[in-house]
Amino acid sequence: MTSHPSPWLRLLPGISPKRRGFVLAWWGFALTFGGMRLLTWLIHIDVAGIGDMQAGGVHIHHYVWGILLLAAVGAAGLTDRSARARAWTGLAYGVGLALVVDEAALLISLEDVYWDTQGGISVALAIAVIAVAGSVLAVTRGRRASKNDAHEEDG
């Protein structure tokens, strides 16, 4: 059986396997938040073919998918701790957290305030998370991947 190198090693050269999941969580959060804002704006302006997800006539908010994804990441974190698993769960964690934070204003007010002034709470919170996490990653810049970390890449 041949071992294939992690795709994250090619995407993030020089980032240690132990740090890679954090970087991917940050990227996943930022890109998902931006993507969800774009998607919901397209729904809001009635772009043809794009609409809300519904089940039985009830709108399913995307924080539901975020909570489910965070639950799956939590369960995965209890089992597999290989470098590859940390990278994938880091990415999934960032995506799930962004789906929840993007609707934080709704969860706080228990009303759909996504496009109201109160909805700005979600935007401010997401920007703060991106800024703080990015700053922490920059300030605590990890050591570069070494040959000793190579054995973790096979996981």
Side-chain angles (χ1 to χ4, degrees):
M1 176 170 117
T2 14
S3 175
H4 298 287
S6 169
W8 305 118
L9 182 58
R10 288 189 305 272
L11 181 65
L12 299 169
I15 304 293
S16 75
K18 293 181 179 179
R19 187 173 177 81
R20 202 169 292 139
F22 292 107
V23 172
L24 288 167
W26 181 57
W27 281 5
F29 183 94
L31 294 174
T32 300
F33 176 75
M36 289 311 300
R37 282 283 151 171
L38 175 61
L39 178 62
T40 54
W41 178 70
L42 294 172
I43 292 169
H44 184 68
I45 64 171
D46 293 323
V47 170
I50 300 177
D52 289 332
M53 180 175 282
Q54 296 192 12
V58 174
H59 172 70
I60 307 297
H61 289 273
H62 52 271
Y63 74 81
V64 172
W65 305 112
I67 291 169
L68 292 173
L69 188 52
L70 289 173
V73 167
L78 295 172
T79 59
D80 195 348
R81 290 193 171 82
S82 68
R84 185 168 289 179
R86 280 195 309 270
W88 282 108
T89 56
L91 180 62
Y93 177 79
V95 169
L97 187 60
L99 292 171
V100 174
V101 167
D102 188 44
E103 294 198 308
L106 178 151
L107 293 167
I108 292 166
S109 67
L110 297 179
E111 293 180 26
D112 194 351
V113 294
Y114 197 84
W115 295 109
D116 296 343
T117 306
Q118 286 179 292
I121 293 169
S122 296
V123 175
L125 181 59
I127 290 171
V129 167
I130 292 166
V132 169
S135 296
V136 168
L137 285 170
V139 170
T140 63
R141 183 175 166 150
R143 64 183 169 76
R144 297 183 82 54
S146 67
K147 291 180 182 177
N148 293 337
D149 292 329
H151 73 279
E152 288 198 41
E153 292 300 331
D154 298 331

PDB file of all heavy atoms in Angstrom, residues 62-84:
ATOM      1  N   HIS A  62     -28.984  28.260   8.213  1.00  0.00           N
ATOM      2  CA  HIS A  62     -27.703  27.568   8.061  1.00  0.00           C
ATOM      3  C   HIS A  62     -26.976  27.346   9.379  1.00  0.00           C
ATOM      4  O   HIS A  62     -26.057  26.537   9.432  1.00  0.00           O
ATOM      5  CB  HIS A  62     -26.806  28.226   7.008  1.00  0.00           C
ATOM      6  CG  HIS A  62     -26.568  29.686   7.137  1.00  0.00           C
ATOM      7  ND1 HIS A  62     -27.388  30.635   6.557  1.00  0.00           N
ATOM      8  CD2 HIS A  62     -25.588  30.365   7.743  1.00  0.00           C
ATOM      9  CE1 HIS A  62     -26.923  31.831   6.809  1.00  0.00           C
ATOM     10  NE2 HIS A  62     -25.829  31.704   7.527  1.00  0.00           N
ATOM     11  N   TYR A  63     -27.403  27.953  10.449  1.00  0.00           N
ATOM     12  CA  TYR A  63     -26.762  27.643  11.736  1.00  0.00           C
ATOM     13  C   TYR A  63     -27.035  26.194  12.135  1.00  0.00           C
ATOM     14  O   TYR A  63     -26.242  25.587  12.844  1.00  0.00           O
ATOM     15  CB  TYR A  63     -27.184  28.613  12.846  1.00  0.00           C
ATOM     16  CG  TYR A  63     -28.583  28.430  13.388  1.00  0.00           C
ATOM     17  CD1 TYR A  63     -28.861  27.468  14.332  1.00  0.00           C
ATOM     18  CD2 TYR A  63     -29.620  29.265  12.955  1.00  0.00           C
ATOM     19  CE1 TYR A  63     -30.143  27.303  14.837  1.00  0.00           C
ATOM     20  CE2 TYR A  63     -30.895  29.107  13.458  1.00  0.00           C
ATOM     21  CZ  TYR A  63     -31.161  28.136  14.384  1.00  0.00           C
ATOM     22  OH  TYR A  63     -32.425  27.967  14.877  1.00  0.00           O
ATOM     23  N   VAL A  64     -28.145  25.634  11.668  1.00  0.00           N
ATOM     24  CA  VAL A  64     -28.461  24.223  11.965  1.00  0.00           C
ATOM     25  C   VAL A  64     -27.362  23.323  11.399  1.00  0.00           C
ATOM     26  O   VAL A  64     -26.870  22.415  12.083  1.00  0.00           O
ATOM     27  CB  VAL A  64     -29.848  23.833  11.406  1.00  0.00           C
ATOM     28  CG1 VAL A  64     -30.096  22.335  11.536  1.00  0.00           C
ATOM     29  CG2 VAL A  64     -30.950  24.642  12.071  1.00  0.00           C
ATOM     30  N   TRP A  65     -26.953  23.593  10.156  1.00  0.00           N
ATOM     31  CA  TRP A  65     -25.901  22.783   9.534  1.00  0.00           C
ATOM     32  C   TRP A  65     -24.575  23.010  10.254  1.00  0.00           C
ATOM     33  O   TRP A  65     -23.771  22.087  10.383  1.00  0.00           O
ATOM     34  CB  TRP A  65     -25.781  23.107   8.038  1.00  0.00           C
ATOM     35  CG  TRP A  65     -27.100  22.951   7.349  1.00  0.00           C
ATOM     36  CD1 TRP A  65     -27.857  23.941   6.807  1.00  0.00           C
ATOM     37  CD2 TRP A  65     -27.850  21.742   7.191  1.00  0.00           C
ATOM     38  NE1 TRP A  65     -29.031  23.418   6.314  1.00  0.00           N
ATOM     39  CE2 TRP A  65     -29.055  22.069   6.535  1.00  0.00           C
ATOM     40  CE3 TRP A  65     -27.635  20.412   7.544  1.00  0.00           C
ATOM     41  CZ2 TRP A  65     -30.021  21.127   6.221  1.00  0.00           C
ATOM     42  CZ3 TRP A  65     -28.606  19.471   7.226  1.00  0.00           C
ATOM     43  CH2 TRP A  65     -29.774  19.828   6.577  1.00  0.00           C
ATOM     44  N   GLY A  66     -24.366  24.229  10.726  1.00  0.00           N
ATOM     45  CA  GLY A  66     -23.154  24.529  11.484  1.00  0.00           C
ATOM     46  C   GLY A  66     -23.089  23.745  12.781  1.00  0.00           C
ATOM     47  O   GLY A  66     -22.041  23.199  13.137  1.00  0.00           O
ATOM     48  N   ILE A  67     -24.197  23.684  13.482  1.00  0.00           N
ATOM     49  CA  ILE A  67     -24.242  22.935  14.739  1.00  0.00           C
ATOM     50  C   ILE A  67     -23.987  21.444  14.484  1.00  0.00           C
ATOM     51  O   ILE A  67     -23.224  20.801  15.209  1.00  0.00           O
ATOM     52  CB  ILE A  67     -25.581  23.158  15.470  1.00  0.00           C
ATOM     53  CG1 ILE A  67     -25.649  24.602  15.985  1.00  0.00           C
ATOM     54  CG2 ILE A  67     -25.768  22.154  16.605  1.00  0.00           C
ATOM     55  CD1 ILE A  67     -27.025  25.022  16.491  1.00  0.00           C
ATOM     56  N   LEU A  68     -24.603  20.909  13.450  1.00  0.00           N
ATOM     57  CA  LEU A  68     -24.398  19.490  13.113  1.00  0.00           C
ATOM     58  C   LEU A  68     -22.937  19.227  12.738  1.00  0.00           C
ATOM     59  O   LEU A  68     -22.350  18.220  13.154  1.00  0.00           O
ATOM     60  CB  LEU A  68     -25.336  19.065  11.975  1.00  0.00           C
ATOM     61  CG  LEU A  68     -26.819  19.033  12.324  1.00  0.00           C
ATOM     62  CD1 LEU A  68     -27.649  18.760  11.075  1.00  0.00           C
ATOM     63  CD2 LEU A  68     -27.097  17.988  13.392  1.00  0.00           C
ATOM     64  N   LEU A  69     -22.348  20.140  11.975  1.00  0.00           N
ATOM     65  CA  LEU A  69     -20.949  19.973  11.589  1.00  0.00           C
ATOM     66  C   LEU A  69     -20.028  20.072  12.803  1.00  0.00           C
ATOM     67  O   LEU A  69     -19.090  19.279  12.953  1.00  0.00           O
ATOM     68  CB  LEU A  69     -20.570  21.015  10.536  1.00  0.00           C
ATOM     69  CG  LEU A  69     -19.219  20.887   9.862  1.00  0.00           C
ATOM     70  CD1 LEU A  69     -19.005  19.489   9.283  1.00  0.00           C
ATOM     71  CD2 LEU A  69     -19.076  21.946   8.784  1.00  0.00           C
ATOM     72  N   LEU A  70     -20.303  21.009  13.701  1.00  0.00           N
ATOM     73  CA  LEU A  70     -19.497  21.119  14.927  1.00  0.00           C
ATOM     74  C   LEU A  70     -19.628  19.868  15.793  1.00  0.00           C
ATOM     75  O   LEU A  70     -18.649  19.431  16.414  1.00  0.00           O
ATOM     76  CB  LEU A  70     -19.889  22.365  15.712  1.00  0.00           C
ATOM     77  CG  LEU A  70     -19.479  23.702  15.083  1.00  0.00           C
ATOM     78  CD1 LEU A  70     -20.081  24.860  15.859  1.00  0.00           C
ATOM     79  CD2 LEU A  70     -17.974  23.823  14.987  1.00  0.00           C
ATOM     80  N   ALA A  71     -20.821  19.276  15.833  1.00  0.00           N
ATOM     81  CA  ALA A  71     -21.012  18.034  16.591  1.00  0.00           C
ATOM     82  C   ALA A  71     -20.177  16.907  15.980  1.00  0.00           C
ATOM     83  O   ALA A  71     -19.545  16.127  16.701  1.00  0.00           O
ATOM     84  CB  ALA A  71     -22.488  17.647  16.626  1.00  0.00           C
ATOM     85  N   ALA A  72     -20.148  16.839  14.644  1.00  0.00           N
ATOM     86  CA  ALA A  72     -19.354  15.807  13.967  1.00  0.00           C
ATOM     87  C   ALA A  72     -17.859  16.026  14.212  1.00  0.00           C
ATOM     88  O   ALA A  72     -17.116  15.067  14.453  1.00  0.00           O
ATOM     89  CB  ALA A  72     -19.649  15.810  12.469  1.00  0.00           C
ATOM     90  N   VAL A  73     -17.413  17.280  14.172  1.00  0.00           N
ATOM     91  CA  VAL A  73     -16.008  17.586  14.433  1.00  0.00           C
ATOM     92  C   VAL A  73     -15.645  17.193  15.862  1.00  0.00           C
ATOM     93  O   VAL A  73     -14.574  16.625  16.106  1.00  0.00           O
ATOM     94  CB  VAL A  73     -15.715  19.086  14.183  1.00  0.00           C
ATOM     95  CG1 VAL A  73     -14.362  19.491  14.749  1.00  0.00           C
ATOM     96  CG2 VAL A  73     -15.776  19.393  12.697  1.00  0.00           C
ATOM     97  N   GLY A  74     -16.531  17.488  16.803  1.00  0.00           N
ATOM     98  CA  GLY A  74     -16.282  17.100  18.194  1.00  0.00           C
ATOM     99  C   GLY A  74     -16.132  15.601  18.344  1.00  0.00           C
ATOM    100  O   GLY A  74     -15.225  15.115  19.025  1.00  0.00           O
ATOM    101  N   ALA A  75     -17.010  14.848  17.696  1.00  0.00           N
ATOM    102  CA  ALA A  75     -16.927  13.386  17.764  1.00  0.00           C
ATOM    103  C   ALA A  75     -15.642  12.890  17.104  1.00  0.00           C
ATOM    104  O   ALA A  75     -14.962  12.012  17.645  1.00  0.00           O
ATOM    105  CB  ALA A  75     -18.146  12.759  17.094  1.00  0.00           C
ATOM    106  N   ALA A  76     -15.291  13.458  15.962  1.00  0.00           N
ATOM    107  CA  ALA A  76     -14.066  13.043  15.275  1.00  0.00           C
ATOM    108  C   ALA A  76     -12.840  13.360  16.125  1.00  0.00           C
ATOM    109  O   ALA A  76     -11.873  12.599  16.145  1.00  0.00           O
ATOM    110  CB  ALA A  76     -13.956  13.734  13.917  1.00  0.00           C
ATOM    111  N   GLY A  77     -12.871  14.472  16.836  1.00  0.00           N
ATOM    112  CA  GLY A  77     -11.747  14.851  17.683  1.00  0.00           C
ATOM    113  C   GLY A  77     -11.525  13.901  18.836  1.00  0.00           C
ATOM    114  O   GLY A  77     -10.437  13.835  19.397  1.00  0.00           O
ATOM    115  N   LEU A  78     -12.542  13.159  19.175  1.00  0.00           N
ATOM    116  CA  LEU A  78     -12.413  12.184  20.259  1.00  0.00           C
ATOM    117  C   LEU A  78     -11.758  10.887  19.792  1.00  0.00           C
ATOM    118  O   LEU A  78     -11.343  10.079  20.610  1.00  0.00           O
ATOM    119  CB  LEU A  78     -13.791  11.868  20.852  1.00  0.00           C
ATOM    120  CG  LEU A  78     -14.491  13.040  21.544  1.00  0.00           C
ATOM    121  CD1 LEU A  78     -15.919  12.638  21.914  1.00  0.00           C
ATOM    122  CD2 LEU A  78     -13.711  13.475  22.767  1.00  0.00           C
ATOM    123  N   THR A  79     -11.684  10.693  18.479  1.00  0.00           N
ATOM    124  CA  THR A  79     -11.177   9.429  17.976  1.00  0.00           C
ATOM    125  C   THR A  79      -9.830   9.528  17.285  1.00  0.00           C
ATOM    126  O   THR A  79      -8.888   8.871  17.676  1.00  0.00           O
ATOM    127  CB  THR A  79     -12.184   8.794  16.995  1.00  0.00           C
ATOM    128  OG1 THR A  79     -12.406   9.702  15.911  1.00  0.00           O
ATOM    129  CG2 THR A  79     -13.493   8.488  17.677  1.00  0.00           C
ATOM    130  N   ASP A  80      -9.717  10.347  16.256  1.00  0.00           N
ATOM    131  CA  ASP A  80      -8.530  10.348  15.407  1.00  0.00           C
ATOM    132  C   ASP A  80      -7.728  11.624  15.619  1.00  0.00           C
ATOM    133  O   ASP A  80      -8.261  12.721  15.498  1.00  0.00           O
ATOM    134  CB  ASP A  80      -8.949  10.227  13.942  1.00  0.00           C
ATOM    135  CG  ASP A  80      -7.791   9.864  13.031  1.00  0.00           C
ATOM    136  OD1 ASP A  80      -6.634   9.929  13.472  1.00  0.00           O
ATOM    137  OD2 ASP A  80      -8.051   9.513  11.868  1.00  0.00           O
ATOM    138  N   ARG A  81      -6.450  11.478  15.903  1.00  0.00           N
ATOM    139  CA  ARG A  81      -5.616  12.653  16.134  1.00  0.00           C
ATOM    140  C   ARG A  81      -4.419  12.700  15.184  1.00  0.00           C
ATOM    141  O   ARG A  81      -3.420  13.333  15.477  1.00  0.00           O
ATOM    142  CB  ARG A  81      -5.140  12.670  17.580  1.00  0.00           C
ATOM    143  CG  ARG A  81      -6.285  12.953  18.522  1.00  0.00           C
ATOM    144  CD  ARG A  81      -5.778  13.280  19.902  1.00  0.00           C
ATOM    145  NE  ARG A  81      -6.839  13.751  20.758  1.00  0.00           N
ATOM    146  CZ  ARG A  81      -7.695  12.984  21.416  1.00  0.00           C
ATOM    147  NH1 ARG A  81      -7.638  11.688  21.287  1.00  0.00           N
ATOM    148  NH2 ARG A  81      -8.609  13.516  22.188  1.00  0.00           N
ATOM    149  N   SER A  82      -4.539  12.057  14.041  1.00  0.00           N
ATOM    150  CA  SER A  82      -3.442  12.093  13.070  1.00  0.00           C
ATOM    151  C   SER A  82      -3.356  13.496  12.467  1.00  0.00           C
ATOM    152  O   SER A  82      -4.286  14.299  12.564  1.00  0.00           O
ATOM    153  CB  SER A  82      -3.681  11.071  11.959  1.00  0.00           C
ATOM    154  OG  SER A  82      -4.798  11.457  11.175  1.00  0.00           O
ATOM    155  N   ALA A  83      -2.239  13.794  11.818  1.00  0.00           N
ATOM    156  CA  ALA A  83      -2.053  15.107  11.188  1.00  0.00           C
ATOM    157  C   ALA A  83      -3.124  15.357  10.133  1.00  0.00           C
ATOM    158  O   ALA A  83      -3.667  16.450  10.027  1.00  0.00           O
ATOM    159  CB  ALA A  83      -0.663  15.194  10.567  1.00  0.00           C
ATOM    160  N   ARG A  84      -3.424  14.346   9.352  1.00  0.00           N
ATOM    161  CA  ARG A  84      -4.440  14.494   8.302  1.00  0.00           C
ATOM    162  C   ARG A  84      -5.815  14.751   8.925  1.00  0.00           C
ATOM    163  O   ARG A  84      -6.557  15.611   8.467  1.00  0.00           O
ATOM    164  CB  ARG A  84      -4.473  13.239   7.434  1.00  0.00           C
ATOM    165  CG  ARG A  84      -5.418  13.372   6.249  1.00  0.00           C
ATOM    166  CD  ARG A  84      -5.231  12.267   5.272  1.00  0.00           C
ATOM    167  NE  ARG A  84      -3.947  12.498   4.609  1.00  0.00           N
ATOM    168  CZ  ARG A  84      -3.436  11.710   3.703  1.00  0.00           C
ATOM    169  NH1 ARG A  84      -4.053  10.622   3.355  1.00  0.00           N
ATOM    170  NH2 ARG A  84      -2.289  11.992   3.135  1.00  0.00           N
TER     171      ARG A  84
END
